[in-house]
Amino acid sequence: MENTTSIGIKDDILVIKVQGEMRAGNSFTLSELLPEYLEKVDRKLSILIDLADCTYMDSTSIGFIILLESRCRRYNAESVTVVNPSPNCVKHLQALSALDKLHIDTNRKVPAIQLFPLETGTRSFKKKQNIELMFDAHDILSELSEENRSEFEDLLNELKRVLDR
């Protein structure tokens, strides 16, 4: 299965569909696109993140979804819902204590909306905006559990050092 992140909008629903792996590059792309778009939308949107065909999620992508949900009011979004996460996604979310921090609907039919694939492979890990996203994503994950705090302590210190330079 090819790794693809697609997005589409119809009426008051914005769908993000992930097929294959969801990694930091996907989050970088979405974080560049979504805030600017959502700030200009003149109606409340429901954001559905379809993970039915997602086989893997890294910590940055999990933190990004939690950040998106926590910031949805600022972006004029009504809600962020993870839809039909695959068993692997549930395992990754559970491992980082994120299951109860997200609105998850395991039986939702995703509306038939035309989706357009996003280019996610060319995002730089050196861009300040992306480093800030990685920091914020892991910082919010660190707040969820002591295990996460311990797991991401060195990474957060290094990202902070790079950002402070």
Side-chain angles (χ1 to χ4, degrees):
M1 174 186 300
E2 186 178 336
N3 297 328
T4 307
T5 298
S6 303
I7 191 167
I9 187 167
K10 184 177 179 184
D11 301 324
D12 61 349
I13 298 176
L14 184 140
V15 173
I16 299 167
K17 181 169 181 62
V18 178
Q19 293 176 287
E21 298 179 350
M22 184 173 186
R23 295 187 174 268
N26 306 74
S27 301
F28 297 161
T29 300
L30 290 167
S31 110
E32 289 174 17
L33 174 76
L34 287 177
E36 186 175 332
Y37 177 79
L38 293 173
E39 287 172 359
K40 293 178 180 167
V41 173
D42 62 352
R43 64 192 181 282
K44 293 278 190 191
L45 289 176
S46 294
I47 300 172
L48 304 180
I49 303 174
D50 182 355
L51 299 178
D53 297 321
C54 182
T55 58
Y56 173 82
M57 299 177 76
D58 71 7
S59 55
T60 301
S61 61
I62 293 170
F64 168 76
I65 293 171
I66 295 170
L67 286 169
L68 181 62
E69 186 168 56
S70 71
R71 297 173 178 167
C72 76
R73 300 283 183 261
R74 178 175 15 156
Y75 295 141
N76 204 27
E78 188 172 290
S79 63
V80 176
T81 304
V82 172
V83 180
N84 305 321
S86 70
N88 280 345
C89 287
V90 170
K91 182 177 76 172
H92 295 299
L93 291 166
Q94 188 170 26
L96 292 178
S97 304
L99 272 178
D100 63 342
K101 301 300 178 200
L102 296 170
H103 182 240
I104 298 175
D105 190 335
T106 58
N107 276 333
R108 181 133 182 202
K109 184 173 186 229
V110 178
I113 294 176
Q114 179 70 41
L115 299 176
F116 302 93
L118 299 174
E119 175 58 48
T120 60
T122 60
R123 298 305 185 258
S124 171
F125 280 82
K126 295 181 181 180
K127 280 179 68 176
K128 183 176 182 188
Q129 174 183 343
N130 294 340
I131 296 169
E132 287 171 344
L133 173 63
M134 287 184 71
F135 180 86
D136 291 344
H138 289 88
D139 189 43
I140 202 163
L141 288 172
S142 292
E143 295 173 8
L144 301 182
S145 72
E146 185 58 43
E147 293 82 10
N148 289 357
R149 197 171 359 274
S150 175
E151 175 79 20
F152 299 125
E153 182 177 15
D154 290 340
L155 175 61
L156 285 168
N157 288 335
E158 180 61 19
L159 291 170
K160 182 161 179 29
R161 185 189 67 76
V162 169
L163 287 170
D164 287 344
R165 261 193 327 182

